[in-house]
Amino acid sequence: MKNDRLYSVGSSQFLSDEQFIRQRMRALTLGDCYITDGITEHGEGYVVVSRKHTGGRISFACYLVDAWCCGVKDTFYRLRQEDFEFDDFINQIDGQPCGYDEAHNRVYGSIAFAEEAGIAPGKSFALAKYFLEEDTDDIPLIEYPFGKDGKHCLVAHSRLEASQEGDRRMGDKSYKSYFEDVVLAESQDLLAEQSLTHQEAMQRMEQYMDHMPRWMFRGHSPSEMQEA
């Protein structure tokens, strides 16, 4: 639901939440930043960037980052939170402190990697990006590993979900152009990989259905795609 709260700016101008974020958020001082272990352990996790208001309250954005394939999949934000509210949220996601430069490069690095496969960030990033500094040379470049073994690796619950996710995020491009080898893992935490054919994958799907397996579609690296 759209938030219609208005903020007074100056003597006569009032801004909605979205207007405030687009026009004023980057003028606020950067606050604490956090990352969750999932990004480095199994390719998906949260990056949190906060901003400090002059009155002491905190606004922050949380980015769901898929470092293996899709980049920024989703975002949400909270405005004018008390310290304890922000701390409670960080505790809930088990966030680990990080510097702003790391948070910035984790987010924009994942987006750049996803764009190599024609995958755009989730629509909500268009607004949430204003919690970040502009992506310019003023931000030190830190290179982090993206992809699984250097390749795009889409994690999904089923082949159907992977197909739909690939089609949705890649527009007119078929996910099959990027994700041909099928990999089965009983959980993201263990990621016990086995390269399978489509027929073998379907057989395994029936075998492991009761255990809610995770299906993963590994794509070719952009360089391999260009050589093919």
Side-chain angles (χ1 to χ4, degrees), residues 127-172:
L127 182 62
K129 69 181 182 182
Y130 290 98
F131 287 79
L132 300 162
E133 296 290 283
E134 291 189 70
D135 188 32
T136 67
D137 291 339
D138 292 335
I139 306 299
L141 177 63
I142 306 174
E143 295 186 359
Y144 294 101
F146 293 101
K148 186 65 173 173
D149 300 326
K151 299 179 180 181
H152 294 84
C153 184
L154 177 62
V155 178
H157 290 283
S158 67
R159 291 179 63 193
L160 176 60
E161 180 184 341
S163 175
Q164 293 173 337
E165 181 74 0
D167 290 343
R168 181 174 71 85
R169 291 190 175 276
M170 294 182 184
D172 294 333

Side-chain angles (χ1 to χ4, degrees), residues 68 113 116 146-153 219-224:
W68 283 1
F113 180 73
E116 292 177 2
F146 293 101
K148 186 65 173 173
D149 300 326
K151 299 179 180 181
H152 294 84
C153 184
H220 294 293
S221 66
S223 61
E224 290 174 329

Side-chain angles (χ1 to χ4, degrees), residues 31 40 53 63 88 94 97 101 182 208:
T40 56
H53 293 262
Y63 306 84
D88 284 346
D94 195 21
D101 290 347
V182 181
Y208 287 98

